[in-house]
Amino acid sequence: MSAKGLVWAMKRTAWCKNSGELAALIAVANFVKEDLTGCWASQATLAEKACTTDRTVRTHLRTLAERKVIVPGDSSLVSHLPADNRPDVWDLNKGLPTKPGTGKDFRSKSSKAGAAATGKNFRSPNDGRAGKFCSEGAENSSDDPGTVDPGTAGGDGRRPSTSSDGPGGGGKAASGKTKPARGKTNAVAMRAVASAIPAPLADLLEQDWPAGLPLSVNEAVSAVLLDEQRTVQEIVERVERRWALWRYEDAAVAQSGQGIARPLGVLLTLLAPSACWGNNIRCEDGVDIDTGAVCPRCEEAREDNATARRGEGAPPPAGYSVPFQRPTVDEPSPYVQCTGAGCGVKMMPTDDGLCRECRTAGAFA
């Protein structure tokens, strides 16, 4: 038995298309020498070790040899046997990587080297990356994103709440609808999106998906292109904006960052459909993509919800922190910042300049 041969084989299981090929590879690895060469066991012996028939093991050995997993060895090792009864001699391919390549990955070596040299987090769409973007690998269901709203996703790409009361649950736009069948995403679009993946995230994705990005990425890009009617440039801008605005960049590169536990989940969240409180297809994370102003339907829906909660005609309670809304160009912001030490929360104006939390804390100080 060759311990080194067995270790080598177990590290290269990705080269085997089925369990039969893996059993044949392990059988060969069992008889090689310490330098991974010189297996001259007969096909009957290999078939016995692989728990299969002579004919089946011969087929598996041929397919492994075609993919250069095993290579012909030194025939002189069987020169002492009768010429009409000499088994094949096999060596393990010592130069074989642990996983099969795909020609070109979704990131090229030149782009990785350039990013390391310049320290840039984003690559331009013209950095020459091409090749396979989708693989057949299984995915973890926890990587699936929900329809998200700014600030709802954590640095580990965890799925937001699926409650139907807010944008994290998809709101009215996502309820009761079945996804339409989509065609294959244009390769040019996929290259552009792959080029927009931030460098720290791309490094983690390449570790988890060396054979190419999974099919769910293609599905996500198709959804944005067809369902939301966004351009490729708008998808790229969405990825770059969310990466910085939703603190993924801080989680990945800051010294105090928590890191990114699920890179695929983060990428799908960066690509996920934008939630709109008012079911406006042109809403991009709360901003109307055509005008650049706050989405009017989101604003109306928020006002309606707030009115329903506190009663018709009742003003917002003084000192309560409220979701920040970007003012229009001609309208000053109605909100102020709390003057409490280290607070600065956005709120409606109060007489003492303190939010409810700071005022309560001061009363017990």
Side-chain angles (χ1 to χ4, degrees):
M1 177 182 294
S2 171
K4 289 185 177 180
L6 292 175
V7 170
W8 184 95
M10 293 307 298
K11 288 184 177 180
R12 287 159 180 81
T13 57
W15 287 90
C16 300
K17 292 185 176 180
N18 50 57
S19 58
E21 288 188 2
L22 177 59
L25 178 60
I26 292 176
V28 172
N30 186 62
F31 290 101
V32 297
K33 296 182 290 187
E34 290 301 301
D35 61 352
L36 307 182
T37 65
C39 169
W40 52 276
S42 66
Q43 288 186 4
T45 301
L46 294 176
E48 179 183 359
K49 293 294 184 182
C51 298
T52 186
T53 63
D54 292 7
R55 181 174 182 178
T56 301
V57 81
R58 182 166 61 250
T59 300
H60 292 326
L61 292 174
R62 182 174 65 251
T63 56
L64 289 172
E66 289 173 353
R67 294 198 298 275
K68 305 298 183 183
V69 181
I70 58 176
V71 294
D74 184 6
S75 59
S76 65
L77 295 175
V78 294
S79 59
H80 61 286
L81 299 175
D84 59 347
N85 193 29
R86 293 176 180 173
D88 294 325
V89 181
W90 296 108
D91 296 344
L92 301 179
N93 186 353
K94 291 182 284 188
L96 193 72
T98 56
K99 293 184 179 180
T102 57
K104 290 184 178 180
D105 206 344
F106 66 95
R107 298 200 304 139
S108 66
K109 293 182 178 179
S110 60
S111 65
K112 287 185 285 186
T118 61
K120 293 182 178 180
N121 287 335
F122 297 95
R123 301 177 180 82
S124 70
N126 299 319
D127 64 357
R129 283 190 286 181
K132 186 174 182 181
F133 298 97
C134 295
S135 68
E136 302 296 334
E139 301 173 32
N140 188 333
S141 60
S142 63
D143 289 328
D144 299 338
T147 304
V148 293
D149 191 48
T152 61
D156 59 356
R158 290 175 293 181
R159 186 171 184 162
S161 169
T162 55
S163 169
S164 61
D165 295 333
K172 300 176 182 178
S175 61
K177 291 189 177 181
T178 303
K179 291 183 179 180
R182 304 185 184 94
K184 185 177 180 181
T185 304
N186 185 285
V188 175
M190 286 302 303
R191 290 191 181 94
V193 173
S195 300
I197 299 176
L201 181 59
D203 291 337
L204 296 174
L205 286 167
E206 189 170 14
Q207 295 175 19
D208 292 346
W209 303 91
L213 295 176
L215 293 174
S216 57
V217 178
N218 194 307
E219 292 277 335
V221 175
S222 296
V224 182
L225 288 173
L226 302 180
D227 296 352
E228 297 187 82
Q229 302 175 13
R230 299 294 194 264
T231 65
V232 174
Q233 182 59 33
E234 287 168 345
I235 299 177
V236 170
E237 292 174 355
R238 171 184 292 183
V239 171
E240 295 182 353
R241 181 185 67 254
R242 289 179 175 179
W243 172 255
L245 185 63
W246 293 1
R247 303 293 180 88
Y248 289 122
E249 184 175 29
D250 291 343
V253 302
Q255 292 184 351
S256 59
Q258 298 179 352
I260 294 178
R262 296 191 179 98
L264 178 59
V266 170
L267 176 59
L268 294 179
T269 301
L270 296 177
L271 294 170
S274 178
C276 178
W277 288 85
N279 198 22
N280 177 15
I281 194 174
R282 300 304 291 168
C283 175
E284 179 69 19
D285 293 340
V287 176
D288 191 297
I289 201 169
D290 297 321
T291 64
V294 175
C295 172
R297 294 190 186 179
C298 281
E299 197 166 26
E300 291 173 3
R302 281 193 293 266
E303 291 176 356
D304 291 343
N305 291 339
T307 300
R309 286 194 299 268
R310 67 176 180 260
E312 186 68 31
Y320 276 70
S321 57
V322 294
F324 176 69
Q325 301 176 23
R326 183 184 304 171
T328 60
V329 176
D330 299 328
E331 179 184 357
S333 173
Y335 305 114
V336 297
Q337 285 186 315
C338 174
T339 58
C343 183
V345 69
K346 295 286 183 180
M347 65 176 191
M348 297 299 292
T350 60
D351 294 336
D352 57 4
L354 298 176
C355 67
R356 180 174 60 94
E357 290 81 3
C358 290
R359 187 180 304 108
T360 303
F364 290 96

